[in-house]
Amino acid sequence: MGIRLSDGDRICIIGGGPAGSFAALQLLAQIDQLGMRLEVMIFEPRDFSIPGSGGCNRCAGIISTRLIHNLESLEISLPDDVIQSEIRAYSIHLNQEIMKIDRPDPEYRIVSIYRGGGPRLHPFGPVTSFDGYLLSAACARGAERIKARVIAVTWDRKPIIHTAQNRFAADLVILATGVNSRSPLGDEFGYQPPRTEIMAQDEFPLPEGWPSDQVRSYFQKPPGLVFGALIPKGSYVNISLLGRGLAADAISDFIEAHELNEDLPVSSGSLCGCTPRIAVGLAKRYFGDRWVAVGDAAVTRLYKDGIGAAFSTAEKAVHTALTVGISEAAFRKGYRPLCKEIVKDNNYGRILFRLWDLTLRFRVLMSVWVGIIKSEEDLPRSQRIHSRILWGMFTGSEPYRQLFRKLFSKGSIIPLYRSVKKDRLK
Ligand SMILES: Cc1cc2nc3c(=O)[nH]c(=O)nc-3n(C[C@H](O)[C@H](O)[C@H](O)COP(=O)(O)OP(=O)(O)OC[C@H]3O[C@@H](n4cnc5c(N)ncnc54)[C@H](O)[C@@H]3O)c2cc1C
């Protein structure tokens, strides 16, 4: 379709977070199979080994089952020093109750990682960065890393990349800049980043006696909170909060509201702290002749598994570029359907999170859910449908549409109906 890549062409990837490194790794694997020779450059100014915000692409750091499988397709298996904790259960903290949901299947492995060198204050030493590991893997396989910020991309028959020191003509630009910095693309590209929401995060030493394989989830308090998660990461625990209109001191309000002060003393225990943006929509005009956006800069999964979406968008964009072409029409044909599919799946996710919100508001609904999850504890893992739905929602390990179908299947509705009847007889 129109313009195509040929031997000797240069591909410039802007951003060396997961989407940028996945794009480079996919390119290098696929051109090898096709017997092509292309120059692959990644522009990334950050040193991912630095603790604190300077070296970090700020996130909770849960790696989904799907992503772990996808990494294997690139012959990447995360080394032990990158994996901080193996997560085997989620405990869901409600007003009066705690629901524990075990991993539905030992095959459903999920792990926690640090994106940079760990918290700014690091009493147990710095840690090995996931983003740094992926970027090094891309460079070891043939990508050239330019340690510089791209300050502008202009157009002169091809995209021209500008850093403070140099200019590079590109045959194809892959935009992987996420949503936490301004896009360097000039107005002529017409790119508009996705809608975002603001989250709050901090890190603490893992309190003594806390299981290191269990994520804790909290809801409703402080006002506006959609969910709060406490994620063990080696010797530390990460707090990530998503909410509407959360105050600047949301982390301390959250700790106080859930009476966690003793374990997580804000004044002496807080080790980091940031308020990053999370993408919640689709970018406008996210591809054109000789350029395409991937990862958060294009679209991501709602609230969960953003790194997994960085993988799938990078894979599809690269496959399109190599097999269909690099014109706007080629990306519309080969790449846009995947992005639209993610948007559609997110709509199912929105309905599921709304239903969960309703459940939290109405005591009767909550008592039905708690009853049903408890009754599933005696069933074989394969029959714990409702636990599996919650596990999928909170870990991002399954498409929302699949979870939605499970929720409205016979196997889910009949036990729910029985649980409602039992609750009414109490
Ligand atoms: C609080 C929070 C918690 C989250 N938790 C999870 C989770 O547990 N699991 C999960 O899978 N996802 C999670 N996400 C989502 C996840 O962080 C993103 O989906 C993921 O980082 C997207 O990767 P990316 O490469 O597209 O963007 P980023 O990770 O943002 O990477 C963009 C890169 O581009 C570089 N860059 C930017 N501008 C330029 C420029 N002009 N020139 C050169 N380089 C540039 C940046 O330095 C950065 O390295 C979370 C997000 C937030 C905010």
Side-chain angles (χ1 to χ4, degrees):
M1 269 207 170
I3 334 164
R4 296 195 77 106
L5 287 167
S6 48
D7 274 348
D9 279 356
R10 176 189 283 159
I11 300 177
C12 291
I13 301 171
I14 312 178
S21 291
F22 289 145
L25 287 160
Q26 289 287 351
L27 269 166
L28 294 160
Q30 294 185 34
I31 59 178
D32 198 38
Q33 284 167 6
L34 296 167
M36 284 177 86
R37 277 182 304 102
L38 297 172
E39 187 183 3
V40 178
M41 286 179 153
I42 308 182
F43 294 78
E44 172 59 62
R46 242 180 247 280
D47 176 349
F48 292 117
S49 67
I50 296 177
S53 61
C56 179
N57 276 328
R58 306 176 290 177
C59 115
I62 298 264
I63 301 296
S64 71
T65 310
R66 273 207 296 186
L67 179 58
I68 294 176
H69 286 156
N70 281 336
L71 288 176
E72 284 163 12
S73 70
L74 282 175
E75 292 173 18
I76 288 183
S77 104
L78 295 177
D80 289 349
D81 60 341
V82 171
I83 295 176
Q84 301 303 324
S85 299
E86 289 276 345
I87 307 299
R88 294 190 180 82
Y90 267 62
S91 62
I92 299 181
H93 291 245
L94 305 164
N95 280 343
Q96 314 289 339
E97 299 266 2
I98 300 175
M99 281 196 283
K100 183 162 167 266
I101 302 187
D102 288 319
R103 191 162 58 165
D105 187 316
E107 294 278 296
Y108 280 37
R109 186 172 178 223
I110 65 170
V111 300
S112 63
I113 48 93
Y114 269 110
R115 304 288 302 273
R120 180 173 53 82
L121 304 174
H122 41 279
F124 310 107
V127 298
T128 308
S129 153
F130 172 79
D131 288 24
Y133 172 75
L134 290 181
L135 185 54
S136 312
C139 294
R141 294 182 191 188
E144 182 188 355
R145 190 250 173 113
I146 311 285
K147 195 167 184 296
R149 173 166 295 280
V150 171
I151 49 177
V153 183
T154 54
W155 183 267
D156 182 7
R157 282 165 294 164
K158 284 180 180 185
I160 311 291
I161 306 281
H162 302 253
T163 65
Q165 308 293 334
N166 284 306
R167 291 163 53 122
F168 303 82
D171 296 290
L172 170 67
V173 165
I174 298 183
L175 184 78
T177 44
V179 287
N180 279 288
S181 27
R182 241 183 99 247
S183 152
L185 292 188
D187 291 345
E188 61 270 41
F189 291 87
Y191 169 74
Q192 281 179 42
R195 199 164 58 78
T196 57
E197 286 171 12
I198 293 188
M199 294 189 67
Q201 287 201 116
D202 210 331
E203 313 278 333
F204 287 78
L206 185 70
E208 225 171 278
W210 277 34
S212 61
D213 62 352
Q214 215 176 97
V215 171
R216 297 179 175 214
S217 303
Y218 295 82
F219 307 88
Q220 294 183 301
K221 297 181 286 186
L225 183 80
V226 177
F227 59 78
L230 269 60
I231 299 136
K233 295 198 195 185
S235 310
Y236 304 101
V237 61
N238 163 281
I239 304 186
S240 288
L241 308 184
L242 174 77
R244 297 199 181 92
L246 291 179
D249 45 4
I251 295 280
S252 51
D253 290 352
F254 169 81
I255 288 177
E256 202 166 306
H258 294 280
E259 297 174 10
L260 293 162
N261 320 47
E262 223 170 89
D263 286 327
L264 308 168
V266 178
S267 52
S268 57
S270 158
L271 304 174
C272 212
C274 65
T275 50
R277 290 185 174 276
I278 189 163
V280 290
L282 175 69
K284 291 210 176 88
R285 211 175 133 67
Y286 52 96
F287 53 81
D289 284 350
R290 296 188 180 277
W291 73 276
V292 61
V294 296
D296 278 11
V299 67
T300 190
R301 290 195 68 207
L302 185 71
Y303 303 148
K304 306 283 160 182
D305 194 25
I307 304 174
F311 184 97
S312 56
T313 52
E315 181 185 41
K316 198 59 158 186
V318 163
H319 187 70
T320 302
L322 293 174
T323 58
V324 189
I326 53 170
S327 63
E328 180 169 350
F331 289 121
R332 180 171 299 113
K333 180 167 186 260
Y335 179 55
R336 188 165 170 261
L338 170 78
C339 298
K340 291 282 179 189
E341 187 52 44
I342 295 175
V343 171
K344 231 197 245 170
D345 194 61
N346 286 346
N347 289 335
Y348 283 97
R350 280 197 178 88
I351 300 175
L352 287 173
F353 280 105
R354 235 168 250 157
L355 288 175
W356 177 247
D357 192 47
L358 271 181
T359 308
L360 292 170
R361 279 164 199 240
F362 294 99
R363 201 203 58 80
V364 182
L365 283 179
M366 184 43 70
S367 116
V368 167
W369 261 100
V370 172
I372 206 153
I373 297 287
K374 289 214 160 134
S375 69
E376 284 186 350
E377 281 168 12
D378 301 326
L379 296 176
R381 279 175 197 259
S382 60
Q383 289 174 28
R384 297 180 197 167
I385 294 184
H386 301 89
S387 312
R388 174 120 176 230
I389 292 168
L390 285 186
W391 178 268
M393 270 176 72
F394 293 126
T395 62
S397 280
E398 273 182 76
Y400 290 123
R401 191 205 300 233
Q402 216 161 286
L403 299 172
F404 187 83
R405 286 205 181 123
K406 270 194 191 113
L407 181 62
F408 289 100
S409 68
K410 241 174 34 191
S412 153
I413 295 286
I414 292 169
L416 263 177
Y417 175 71
R418 283 198 193 118
S419 185
V420 172
K421 260 176 70 182
K422 208 164 133 194
D423 199 75
R424 286 173 107 187
L425 291 175
K426 272 187 204 164

